[in-house]
């Protein structure tokens, strides 16, 4: 599955997915399920290599957020593109728990959702198409402004206008002086 | 009125370009119908029985005359010269071609309009009191808050794929004309003990298959916290609302299943964590939006205008109309005029392009060029000088727009029903027409007084039948159209869900039954001041039920 990271196709995923019943490799970056993490916290925490986790979209991330920092990769799932729970999970992880590692969207990931995913804090996408990089570039440049603040730091229209008003005000004031 | 700036205009234009590209990708087969469906729905495009239907957002029901003329024009170019005003303060065109939708949307963008989020599982067009900014009983103009909500909810990245659609309504008056208790979130502005104005927040109301009156989740919310609180509610809903069953996916079911206390706990926790964040509204940002809703340049008037008093005395028809179709304005010497789109026998809420142009002209001449759409499928001229009322009456009458029936039995709400809608069990429009004709006699209709009849063609309740004083619901009985009747519903500050009177009736019997119900009321009422609803609340279901089924 092509993996897009920071807008570019990544040749190979650095993380090796490990099934719940498979043995962990001695070393190297691995991706485990939330269930496995629950069962083998100590053992997994002892590893020196990067650790990734796949969270089910039914998980209340408030119960997980405090541990987020421990991971280098968190994968959130979209079983269907119309199931939008992971958008909230993503924002909470980024904005409430300050997670800075890779946040990856997997599942039914479509071009027309990339914009919203990126605004919600995703920086990596498993997307089943060869022209993923072009599709992504097009998707995220669809809109020049945003109406609401999210963790992506873009300034909302409401505040953009305030800044314009204040600048105009200062200019008028200076002209009057 | 709110005017787009460069930011709003750019976004709407970019949305059209995006949709044009999506339609092209669909037509070329790059995306499947399944994947295209939510994209078109988020642009208001429904597949109906006979054609595509395009639903246009009229944010909080406010239109300029220029926009109304534009809508008339679009109705001529892409539809058959009509538009249909809906209970959601929206406009629908019923005969649209897929290939032409991007062009129609581009034409809309030129008049600062769009179809964004008029469908799909996202936050829909926010609705409000059609008399906002004009009503004498208003605490504060709710449109300011609707506009702030409009902006926040437009293309909200987190909330574009909710479990189900989400509707917010705001009232700025204690007399609720926006039905806030039957919305996913209702906001009621009021003053607290300290004299500050804020919101009562109501959550989990709704109609449809399982109707609920919303519950208060917070008594008083300071204004600057509005968006943080809304985001907290939506975030809880997005994560925990049911997605396993379409019919249980609305927030009302979540609130019902976990209880309002548990809901409050979750929302308040979320709110506490985010209230001092980027969503907190600075006063100068509120002021900047509020400035766009500044009152128009009213004349200072006092006393009753002679023209008005004279016409009232000498012109009987005018008097009838003025009594029924005008409402008290906060500015002395002005009135609010409701334009009935319910001429007896016509489809409720339909307006021809010619009528729309006429209303636009009348608004320009007499009401600061502003028009409102009501959730009862009528139009409003919000600021008419009383001395101009006779002229306005005459001008409206020339276009069949002066039926003096606002709030009366023939002012019926009806959904599109089986004439257009793919989900319908039964027709709504013809039965509305037949009932309205029974109350064409003005003497009888005015004697009966306020009576809200609401009709839906199926359990989805687009016609608000649950909250009609008389509600009518189309059901299918072995392939035949039948109608269930409920009594005692209300959508205002004393919101209630109607009670079913008994087995469903066929079309003829249902229309007769409405007559019987009204006759029963006239017999039982204490005085002509006691409305149908009051009598029903006093005497209960039994005498009405008896009367209807004794005959049948
Ligand atoms: C003609 C095509 C239409 C279709 C296919 C349609 C579909 C639906 C569906 C499926 C529901 C139930 C949603 C639920 O309970 O979760 C619903 C509810 C509703 N719709 Fe429609 N609708 C249509 C037209 C309209 C029109 C014309 C109006 C306005 C007059 C409208 C306003 C509403 C309202 C007010 C509700 C119920 C209140 C609530 O959301 O709880 N709809 N619609
Ligand atoms: S109530 Fe039913 S029939 Fe009427 S418009 Fe809604 S879905 Fe269609």
């Amino acid at each position: 599955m092509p993996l897009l990271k920071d807008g570019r196709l990544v040749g190979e995923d650095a993380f090796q997915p490990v099934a719940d019943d498979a043995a962990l490799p001695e070393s190297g970056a691995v991706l485990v399920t939330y269930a496995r993490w629950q069962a083998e916290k100590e053992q997994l925490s002892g590893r020196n290599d990067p650790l990734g986790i796949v969270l089910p979209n039914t998980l209340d991330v408030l119960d997980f957020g405090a541990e987020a920092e421990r991971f280098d990769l968190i994968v959130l799932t979209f079983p269907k593109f119309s199931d939008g729970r992971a958008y909230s999970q993503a924002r909470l992880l980024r904005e409430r728990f300050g997670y800075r590692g890779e946040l990856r969207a997997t599942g039914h990931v479509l071009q027309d959702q990339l914009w919203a995913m990126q605004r919600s804090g995703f920086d990596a996408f498993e997307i089943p198409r060869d022209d993923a990089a072009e599709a992504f570039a097009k998707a995220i440049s669809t809109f020049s402004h945003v109406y609401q603040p999210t963790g992506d730091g873009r300034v909302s229209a409401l505040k953009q206008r305030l800044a314009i008003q204040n600048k105009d005000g200062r200019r008028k004031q200076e002209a009057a002086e | 009125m709110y005017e787009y700036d460069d930011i709003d205009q750019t976004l709407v234009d970019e949305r059209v370009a995006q949709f044009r590209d999506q339609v092209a990708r669909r037509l070329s087969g790059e995306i499947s119908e399944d994947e295209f469906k939510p994209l078109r729905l988020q642009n208001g495009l429904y597949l109906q029985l006979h054609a595509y239907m395009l639903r246009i957002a009229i944010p909080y029901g406010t239109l300029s005359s220029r926009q109304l003329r534009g809508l008339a024009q679009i109705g001529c170019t892409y539809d058959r010269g009509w538009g249909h005003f809906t209970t959601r303060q929206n406009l629908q065109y019923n005969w649209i071609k897929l290939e032409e939708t991007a062009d129609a949307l581009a034409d809309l963008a030129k008049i600062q309009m769009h179809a964004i989020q008029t469908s799909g599982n996202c936050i829909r067009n926010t609705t409000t009191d059609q008399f906002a900014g004009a009503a004498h009983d208003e605490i504060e103009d709710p449109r300011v808050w609707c506009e702030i909500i409009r902006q926040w909810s437009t293309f909200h990245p987190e909330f574009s794929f909710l479990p189900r659609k989400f509707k917010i309504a705001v009232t700025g008056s204690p007399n609720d004309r926006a039905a806030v208790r039957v919305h996913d979130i209702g906001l009621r502005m009021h003053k607290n003990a300290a004299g500050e104005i804020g919101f009562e927040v109501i959550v989990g109301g709704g109609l449809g298959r399982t109707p609920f009156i919303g519950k208060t989740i917070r008594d008083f919310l300071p204004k600057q916290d509005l968006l943080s609180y809304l985001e907290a509610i939506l975030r809880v809903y997005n994560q925990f609302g049911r997605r396993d069953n379409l019919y249980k996916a609305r927030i009302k079911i979540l609130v019902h299943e976990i209880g309002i206390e548990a809901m409050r706990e979750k929302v308040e926790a979320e709110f506490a964590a985010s209230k001092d964040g980027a969503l907190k509204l600075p006063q100068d940002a509120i002021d900047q939006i509020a400035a766009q809703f500044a009152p128009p340049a009213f004349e200072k008037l006092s006393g009753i205008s002679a023209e008005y008093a004279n016409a009232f005395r000498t012109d009987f028809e005018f008097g009838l109309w003025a009594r029924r179709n005008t409402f008290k304005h906060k500015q002395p010497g002005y009135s609010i005029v409701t334009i009935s789109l319910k001429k007896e026998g016509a489809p409720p809420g339909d307006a021809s392009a010619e009528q729309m142009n006429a209303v636009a002209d009348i608004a320009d001449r007499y009401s600061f060029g502003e028009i409102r759409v009501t959730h009862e499928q009528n139009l409003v001229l919000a600021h008419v000088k009383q001395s101009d009322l006779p002229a306005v009456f005459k001008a409206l009458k020339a276009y069949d727009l002066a039926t003096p029936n606002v709030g009366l039995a023939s002012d019926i709400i009806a959904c599109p029903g089986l004439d257009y809608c793919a989900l319908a069990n039964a027709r709504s429009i013809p039965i509305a027409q037949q009932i309205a004709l029974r109350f064409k006699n003005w003497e009888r209709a005015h004697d009966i007084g306020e009576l809200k009849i609401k009709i839906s063609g199926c359990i989805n309740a687009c016609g608000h039948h649950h909250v009609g004083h008389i509600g009518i619901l189309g059901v299918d009985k072995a392939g035949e159209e039948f109608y269930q009747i409920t009594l005692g519903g209300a959508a205002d500050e004393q919101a209630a869900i109607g009670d079913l009177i008994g087995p469903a009736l066929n079309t003829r019997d249902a229309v007769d039954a409405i007559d019987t119900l009204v006759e029963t009321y006239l017999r039982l009422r204490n005085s002509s001041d006691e409305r149908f609803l009051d009598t029903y609340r006093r005497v209960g279901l039994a005498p009405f039920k008896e009367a209807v089924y004794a005959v049948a």
Side-chain angles (χ1 to χ4, degrees), chain B residues 344-387:
Chain B
E344 298 91 348
D350 272 12
S352 67
E354 194 192 11
Q355 286 176 321
M356 290 191 241
N357 283 323
V359 171
D361 292 344
I362 295 168
D364 273 341
R365 181 129 185 236
Y366 300 109
S367 193
F368 300 96
E370 203 188 289
I371 300 100
R372 310 288 178 79
V373 181
T374 84
H375 86 270
E376 291 174 327
Q377 300 179 284
N378 291 317
L379 300 178
V380 162
L381 301 170
H383 316 290
V384 180
K385 259 196 300 189
Q386 278 165 356
S387 53

Side-chain angles (χ1 to χ4, degrees), chain B residues 292-314:
Chain B
Q292 300 232 33
F293 295 95
F298 292 123
E299 289 173 38
K300 288 239 172 336
L301 303 168
S302 60
I304 303 241
S305 112
E307 292 97 320
Y308 177 46
N310 193 36
F312 214 94
R313 224 173 314 122
T314 57

Side-chain angles (χ1 to χ4, degrees), chain B residues 147-211:
Chain B
E147 176 57 28
I148 288 172
I149 295 169
R150 180 190 76 83
Q151 295 191 20
W152 161 77
S153 61
T154 298
F155 312 141
H156 198 299
E158 186 179 348
F159 306 133
S160 294
F161 293 95
L162 295 167
R164 201 76 179 85
K165 56 174 133 174
F166 204 92
K167 302 175 181 176
I168 303 176
V170 191
T171 173
S173 157
N175 300 305
D176 178 9
R177 287 173 289 265
V180 301
R181 290 192 181 273
V182 289
H183 282 76
D184 296 286
I185 292 180
L187 299 167
R188 183 180 71 86
M189 303 198 77
H190 68 114
K191 272 199 184 114
N192 67 5
E196 298 151 339
I197 296 175
F199 302 94
E200 177 190 358
V201 184
I202 298 154
V203 69
L207 302 172
R209 191 167 299 251
T210 25

